[in-house]
Amino acid sequence: MKKLFIVLLLFSITFIYANELTITEKIEKYSGENADELTQLLETQEGDTLRYLNFLLENCSNNDLSVLTEDYLMTNIEFAIKAKKFKYANYSEDIFRHFVLPHRVSQEPLEDWREKFYTELKPLVENVEDIKEAAILVNLWALEQITFKQTSGRDQAPLTTIKRGIGRCEEMMILYIAAARSVGIPTRTASVPFWNFTNNNHAWVEIWTPDGWKYTGGAEPANSLNKAWFTKTSQRATLITSRAFGNYESKNTIKRKDNVTTISSIEYYTDFEYVQIKVKDEENKLVTDANVVLYAASYGGLFPITELKSDENGLVKIPLGKGTVFVTAFKDDKLGYSILNTMENNSLEITLSENNGLNEHFNFLFPIPFENSDKAEQKEVLGDKYKLMRENADLKRKDRLNSQKKNIELVKYYDLSEKAEKQDSTFLKNREEFLKKCDDIAGNIQQFLYLLDKTNNPQEIEIIVNMIEKWNIKELCEIPDSTAIQTVVDIFIQAKNNFPSIPDSVFVDNVIGFTWRSATPPQNGWQKDFYPKIEKLIAKNPAKTVKKVIKWVDKNIVVDEDFVWTYFSGSLNPNDILNMKTVPEFYRTKLINSTLKLLGVPIQWKGRLEFFDGKDFVAVEEKDKKEEQDHKKFITVSIFVDGEKVKADSYENFLIAKLSEEGAISNTYFDGENDSLDYKANYRYKDDDNVYIESFVRNRNGDANIIVKSIEVLDSVKIELITPKEYLDNSDKWCDETKQNIINVVEKGDSISFKLLFVRGEIPTEPEERMLEQLSAKTENFQKNNIELILYSEMRAIADLDDLKGKFKIITGNKIISENIENYPILFLLDKENEIVFSSIGYNMGISDLLLKKVK
């Protein structure tokens, strides 16, 4: 959240924090070519427009200042003001400014969505008086645009999401919030960074109503608020946070920093405790301004869920759900840490002492799931017509996406590429994956097909096919048109000719392919303007080119060590980075990476940026001998659970982490491979680094036995974990009719020891998609444990399940669940006598491991 606004008159801009600058000074520092028009805009506006303009520019991130223009800001303000005129828009000016007016939702690239969404959604809600009804209508509209599918990399922007038709939870959330705000519905992001009792996270939407904030899933419609597939899961959350753009006053604000307000929303979901953490030194004196971090257990180790500062009394106060967190406190190189179980205590004292590292073994415990919550008001809004409206939205989206599938037309181009020289089983498998990916490019595939149809150049065909294979789908969807694609193709052809001795496979993987998924620049056509700035940097060989590029980059930008990152910061392309000029170190790395790849120098990330010099990958920049050197370390990881050796699986049951300069534990880059059950890992570290291995095992309730061990001087590490005790399932819930129906279905399967029956309902849902993804990923494990997978589809076609044939026995038919159950899917595990030995209802994270352990 923003600090107190201070005008500093005498200082060097290089050494001040961005959130201490006046608006004009921020613009001058970060807006580059846009600075004059933004400054003039502030001088010429008045009234509400000026107040809203000040609010946006005062609170926006440094990133956004490099891309915001007069036209973008004025359109945003104009249509936000129009949105205040809807009948249900009866809220305070404070609510409007923080939750309707903002020009962005989260970390998506900026897109000009507001006018388009206002025009499209206005007819849908202009006669609605109840804001809850308006919210549900907008969610039905969002469902027509998008359905859930897991994606990777950075968030995609709302117009790209519509073009693509699919997205993960963050992208569904971004689309819904942008749409709702466009018609005056105050909304904010809500999320769990990590669920804590399983390896996953989630993001969704909170909506302001006259009787308080309510929640819903973005593009996950229900006929009421405070009802979603994740309701039961959220009841077990440790921390749920929402965020406000700017300095927002709230009773449950837990942090205000850098113009972002972080709010605890846990009260809307589950039972919680107001927790107090006291930080002291070894002399029992209170420690102010200590860095206090709370961690969840997820993805093999500990991950921060919030970072706070102790107040003048050495205290941190925060509402937390029932469960366990690990807590560290740090100041002046002194560290303290402890476990907090809110089922037993609501206070904790941590004593700081000399930082001698971490070597701990402890348990995380959580309450068992419960069926109902008095936190959730679930009053239906649209009545009987809702089901039909939802079905229509679903059908419209499916029809649109099906009409955009062009993979049959793309087969010939894949076969024309050099990949077709050897048409063996690997080729056929890769071609199938290529065509599936083409389906997901949806609304943008026609742009690629247009270029393929009009060219006879084999090299162009090869490059386009390689782009489709190697680029992330969201980048393929967001590149604006065929002209922008052609520009990239031409640049890649020239890049290949720059260094013809580089092997084709290296060029495809390390020039056309990504360096890192999360930090790839948005593909919004930036190459056209950027390439003329760099083409003269090409030298005789990659090494000399690298030197010229680094010199050019450092001539055009300045690294700002005090650069402020915020939640509301979108990804920038290289032109934006050059325009900003004063940038963080990571943007300098991104700029070097993008420049070298467009010039044809292969790049990879191995904890540092490396380039291919013609023989090997070597560091782009070697550290000066006077600077602290980093080293490469190899270590063998062995993991035992309950005395039995198990496979060491990175980001599943272990990871490697470091202690940052601010005293936070965070995972560090490492790679490696399994040698039988052991994992041979390598990572990079500096002399003063505190390096740890983190590992855990869960029981079916999500309780975790966790080990944190220092590994700086070790060549091998042995981890010995003990599974915490488990809780019982709810297999006895079902009536005799349902049990008989279940038996009738599984008897159609094969006669093997166990059968896992997955029952999906009449209406598609995200929980089904997520749980099918979980189970599919563990197919081999189920087969090894003699478990047959059966998927039963109640009253619903099965054409969308073609990808699962061979993994599941797929059956469709009438309803087999006699009970009135809304939260599909439903799982049944049956033994060889067809007795139900386990059952679950609705979404259940970590279900695959739970089932495998049950069989064992």
Side-chain angles (χ1 to χ4, degrees):
M1 179 59 76
K2 194 183 98 165
K3 297 179 180 178
L4 292 176
F5 197 83
I6 304 172
V7 179
L8 301 177
L9 297 176
L10 300 173
F11 57 84
S12 169
I13 282 182
T14 307
F15 298 99
I16 61 173
Y17 289 99
N19 59 348
E20 294 175 335
L21 300 174
T22 65
I23 299 175
T24 302
E25 289 165 338
K26 285 175 65 177
I27 290 171
E28 289 175 352
K29 184 173 183 180
Y30 296 111
S31 295
E33 295 177 357
N34 300 331
D36 288 344
E37 75 171 35
L38 293 181
T39 302
Q40 187 175 4
L41 188 62
L42 286 168
E43 294 172 353
T44 56
Q45 299 305 308
E46 58 185 19
D48 284 347
T49 300
L50 178 59
R51 287 194 301 109
Y52 297 150
L53 186 61
N54 274 326
F55 178 79
L56 292 176
L57 290 174
E58 180 184 69
N59 292 294
C60 76
S61 66
N62 299 334
N63 278 25
D64 283 357
L65 283 171
S66 70
V67 294
L68 285 172
T69 64
E70 176 183 352
D71 288 345
Y72 186 97
L73 286 164
M74 294 304 289
T75 299
N76 183 83
I77 292 170
E78 175 189 353
F79 281 88
I81 291 173
K82 286 183 177 182
K84 295 170 71 174
K85 297 178 182 178
F86 288 101
K87 296 177 181 179
Y88 48 76
N90 299 313
Y91 37 72
S92 69
E93 183 70 6
D94 201 37
I95 291 292
F96 171 77
R97 286 188 304 124
H98 292 284
F99 304 112
V100 175
L101 176 64
H103 58 285
R104 68 157 54 256
V105 174
S106 181
Q107 291 107 39
E108 75 281 5
L110 282 188
E111 284 184 341
D112 198 357
W113 47 264
R114 194 177 287 269
E115 180 178 3
K116 175 179 172 59
F117 287 176
Y118 174 87
T119 303
E120 187 164 344
L121 286 162
K122 179 183 176 184
L124 187 67
V125 298
E126 61 184 341
N127 294 317
V128 175
E129 297 184 3
D130 183 357
I131 201 167
K132 297 176 186 177
E133 180 179 348
I136 289 172
L137 288 170
V138 171
N139 219 349
L140 285 166
W141 173 88
L143 177 65
E144 190 177 321
Q145 317 307 318
I146 182 178
T147 190
F148 174 82
K149 187 171 184 178
Q150 196 62 264
T151 67
S152 60
R154 56 182 169 74
D155 293 338
Q156 63 195 22
L159 297 179
T160 299
T161 294
I162 291 176
K163 188 190 295 186
R164 186 177 180 187
I166 59 174
R168 66 174 184 265
C169 56
E170 290 93 337
E171 293 152 348
M172 298 168 81
M173 171 195 78
I174 289 167
L175 173 63
Y176 178 83
I177 290 179
R181 287 178 176 176
S182 76
V183 287
I185 302 172
T187 46
R188 66 190 187 190
T189 64
S191 66
V192 281
F194 300 95
W195 282 117
N196 206 356
F197 54 87
T198 190
N199 293 1
N200 220 314
N201 57 13
H202 191 47
W204 60 92
V205 179
E206 289 180 347
I207 299 163
W208 180 91
T209 72
D211 51 343
W213 288 90
K214 311 291 182 183
Y215 67 86
T216 188
E220 303 163 4
N223 197 10
S224 63
L225 301 181
N226 280 0
K227 183 178 183 181
W229 64 266
F230 55 84
T231 293
K232 185 175 178 181
T233 307
S234 68
Q235 292 169 2
R236 306 185 70 204
T238 305
L239 177 66
I240 296 175
T241 56
S242 57
R243 288 181 174 86
F245 182 89
N247 190 347
Y248 178 66
E249 296 296 330
S250 166
K251 66 175 183 177
N252 282 329
T253 292
I254 58 175
K255 182 165 59 174
R256 284 192 287 267
K257 183 180 180 182
D258 302 327
N259 305 323
V260 179
T261 303
T262 304
I263 304 159
S264 172
S265 294
I266 197 75
E267 65 174 301
Y268 304 123
Y269 301 88
T270 191
D271 296 335
F272 66 96
E273 292 287 339
Y274 283 103
V275 169
Q276 178 174 285
I277 300 167
K278 182 181 290 186
V279 184
K280 304 186 301 182
D281 62 19
E282 291 177 295
E283 296 178 355
N284 212 33
K285 295 179 180 178
L286 299 175
V287 178
T288 64
D289 206 37
N291 198 46
V292 178
V293 185
L294 278 60
Y295 303 83
S298 194
Y299 293 105
L302 297 172
F303 282 83
I305 54 175
T306 191
E307 188 170 328
L308 308 167
K309 292 287 187 181
S310 59
D311 63 17
E312 64 275 10
N313 298 312
L315 298 177
V316 163
K317 299 177 182 178
I318 182 172
L320 294 177
K322 301 290 189 177
T324 309
V325 290
F326 185 69
V327 185
T328 61
F330 184 89
K331 187 177 181 182
D332 298 333
D333 204 36
K334 292 188 176 182
L335 177 71
Y337 53 86
S338 186
I339 290 291
L340 175 62
N341 182 347
T342 59
M343 294 183 291
E344 298 177 353
N345 298 294
N346 61 4
S347 63
L348 178 69
E349 286 193 1
I350 294 181
T351 301
L352 302 186
S353 59
E354 292 299 326
N355 179 15
N356 296 316
L358 287 163
N359 283 284
E360 292 297 319
H361 193 169
F362 50 84
N363 281 339
F364 267 32
L365 302 175
F366 305 98
I368 63 173
F370 50 96
E371 288 296 324
N372 300 308
S373 172
D374 58 4
K375 301 289 178 184
E377 173 204 322
Q378 299 180 355
K379 183 180 179 181
E380 293 195 346
V381 175
L382 296 178
D384 295 338
K385 64 180 180 179
Y386 169 79
K387 183 178 180 181
L388 180 60
M389 294 171 72
R390 176 171 180 161
E391 290 174 351
N392 286 339
D394 224 4
L395 287 172
K396 287 180 180 179
R397 185 195 68 252
K398 288 179 179 178
D399 287 346
R400 174 171 64 88
L401 295 180
N402 285 333
S403 71
Q404 294 168 341
K405 293 182 178 180
K406 306 287 183 181
N407 56 11
I408 294 177
E409 300 173 53
L410 286 151
V411 173
K412 61 182 178 181
Y413 295 111
Y414 191 86
D415 291 349
L416 282 172
S417 71
E418 294 178 9
K419 304 174 191 306
E421 291 179 356
K422 184 180 180 182
Q423 295 198 19
D424 54 12
S425 59
T426 301
F427 165 81
L428 295 174
K429 181 181 178 182
N430 290 342
R431 183 171 69 175
E432 182 180 359
E433 291 300 317
F434 171 83
L435 296 176
K436 286 180 182 178
K437 192 172 184 181
C438 289
D439 280 349
D440 285 344
I441 300 173
N444 230 22
I445 194 62
Q446 189 62 50
Q447 309 284 358
F448 290 90
L449 191 57
Y450 168 76
L451 293 179
L452 289 166
D453 286 343
K454 80 181 186 70
T455 185
N456 294 315
N457 185 336
Q459 196 172 15
E460 286 192 356
I461 293 172
E462 186 77 18
I463 291 291
I464 293 172
V465 169
N466 287 330
M467 284 174 63
I468 293 174
E469 280 196 310
K470 293 297 181 181
W471 280 23
N472 190 292
I473 295 175
K474 64 187 57 172
E475 293 150 19
L476 296 168
C477 287
E478 71 189 357
I479 194 164
D481 50 43
S482 59
T483 301
I485 299 170
Q486 184 68 61
T487 298
V488 175
V489 172
D490 293 342
I491 291 172
F492 280 148
I493 290 174
Q494 178 60 48
K496 185 71 177 78
N497 294 333
N498 289 341
F499 309 109
S501 63
I502 290 175
D504 289 346
S505 61
V506 174
F507 182 84
V508 171
D509 289 342
N510 301 97
V511 174
I512 297 177
F514 63 90
T515 305
W516 43 63
R517 287 202 185 277
S518 61
T520 303
Q523 293 297 341
N524 46 19
W526 55 269
Q527 291 89 346
K528 179 182 178 181
D529 293 330
F530 186 71
Y531 189 73
K533 301 172 185 175
I534 66 169
E535 59 183 330
K536 292 183 179 179
L537 300 175
I538 300 166
K540 292 182 179 180
N541 57 55
K544 290 184 178 179
T545 303
V546 168
K547 290 182 179 179
K548 289 183 71 175
V549 167
I550 292 173
K551 185 176 180 180
W552 174 80
V553 166
D554 288 338
K555 181 180 177 182
N556 284 278
I557 61 170
V558 175
V559 173
D560 180 3
E561 295 181 356
D562 296 324
F563 187 90
V564 174
W565 294 94
T566 82
Y567 175 81
F568 298 110
S569 295
S571 183
L572 298 184
N573 70 39
N575 288 319
D576 302 328
I577 294 171
L578 283 177
N579 186 51
M580 189 160 59
K581 291 185 174 61
T582 305
V583 303
E585 180 68 38
F586 181 56
Y587 277 2
R588 177 180 178 274
T589 302
K590 282 183 68 173
L591 189 57
I592 292 171
N593 168 73
S594 297
T595 304
L596 289 173
K597 293 181 76 168
L598 287 195
L599 297 177
V601 179
I603 297 293
Q604 69 178 13
W605 180 260
K606 293 291 182 180
R608 63 180 184 178
L609 203 62
E610 299 179 343
F611 78 97
F612 187 73
D613 65 0
K615 295 181 180 180
D616 299 298
F617 278 95
V618 297
V620 166
E621 294 183 280
E622 291 290 353
K623 295 291 185 181
D624 189 293
K625 292 182 179 180
K626 295 180 181 179
E627 295 183 19
E628 186 179 12
Q629 298 290 305
D630 66 342
H631 314 281
K632 194 170 186 177
K633 172 81 173 179
F634 293 87
I635 189 168
T636 300
V637 181
S638 304
I639 297 179
F640 292 77
V641 175
D642 302 329
E644 180 182 349
K645 193 171 188 178
V646 300
K647 180 181 178 182
D649 197 350
S650 60
Y651 290 94
E652 286 292 330
N653 59 15
F654 86 93
L655 57 78
I656 295 175
K658 293 181 183 178
L659 196 68
S660 72
E661 293 180 358
E662 294 76 31
I665 305 170
S666 58
N667 62 300
T668 188
Y669 176 85
F670 69 96
D671 60 12
E673 59 185 6
N674 282 94
D675 176 9
S676 184
L677 298 178
D678 293 338
Y679 189 92
K680 306 292 185 181
N682 65 83
Y683 61 92
R684 307 196 75 85
Y685 72 99
K686 293 183 173 65
D687 292 331
D688 292 335
D689 282 345
N690 293 288
V691 187
Y692 306 98
I693 189 164
E694 300 173 351
S695 181
F696 66 66
V697 62
R698 295 190 191 276
N699 64 18
R700 293 182 299 164
N701 186 46
D703 303 327
N705 182 241
I706 303 172
I707 286 178
V708 181
K709 180 179 289 190
S710 177
I711 59 170
E712 295 167 60
V713 297
L714 301 178
D715 295 321
S716 63
V717 61
K718 179 181 179 181
I719 303 293
E720 297 183 272
L721 300 162
I722 301 172
T723 306
K725 293 182 180 180
E726 301 175 346
Y727 76 97
L728 299 175
D729 65 69
N730 61 356
S731 301
D732 58 355
K733 183 179 184 68
W734 309 105
C735 68
D736 290 341
E737 182 179 358
T738 295
K739 289 179 180 178
Q740 187 58 54
N741 290 340
I742 298 304
I743 291 172
N744 293 341
V745 170
V746 299
E747 284 180 342
K748 298 176 183 178
D750 299 327
S751 297
I752 61 177
S753 294
F754 287 90
K755 301 179 184 72
L756 177 60
L757 175 63
F758 183 106
V759 182
R760 70 173 192 169
E762 191 174 348
I763 299 173
T765 66
E766 178 181 346
E768 290 177 351
E769 180 79 26
R770 281 179 174 255
M771 286 183 62
L772 278 174
E773 186 177 17
Q774 279 191 57
L775 296 174
S776 297
K778 296 290 181 77
T779 301
E780 291 184 7
N781 302 70
F782 288 118
Q783 291 173 346
K784 288 178 183 177
N785 286 278
N786 212 18
I787 305 172
E788 182 185 14
L789 299 179
I790 303 172
L791 196 160
Y792 187 88
S793 191
E794 285 190 339
M795 307 289 289
R796 185 167 153 201
I798 56 176
D800 62 317
L801 300 175
D802 288 347
D803 291 350
L804 296 178
K805 289 179 179 177
K807 294 183 176 181
F808 289 78
K809 183 178 184 65
I810 298 173
I811 305 171
T812 186
N814 296 324
K815 282 183 68 66
I816 59 173
I817 306 299
S818 300
E819 289 78 4
N820 184 22
I821 301 295
E822 295 183 358
N823 298 326
Y824 283 82
I826 302 171
L827 267 64
F828 298 91
L829 181 65
L830 297 95
D831 61 18
K832 59 185 177 182
E833 281 81 30
N834 289 336
E835 292 289 330
I836 299 172
V837 295
F838 178 83
S839 177
S840 71
I841 301 171
Y843 186 69
N844 194 329
M845 293 183 175
I847 190 72
S848 298
D849 292 335
L850 185 155
L851 292 165
L852 289 166
K853 288 176 181 177
K854 184 68 179 176
V855 170
K856 290 178 181 179

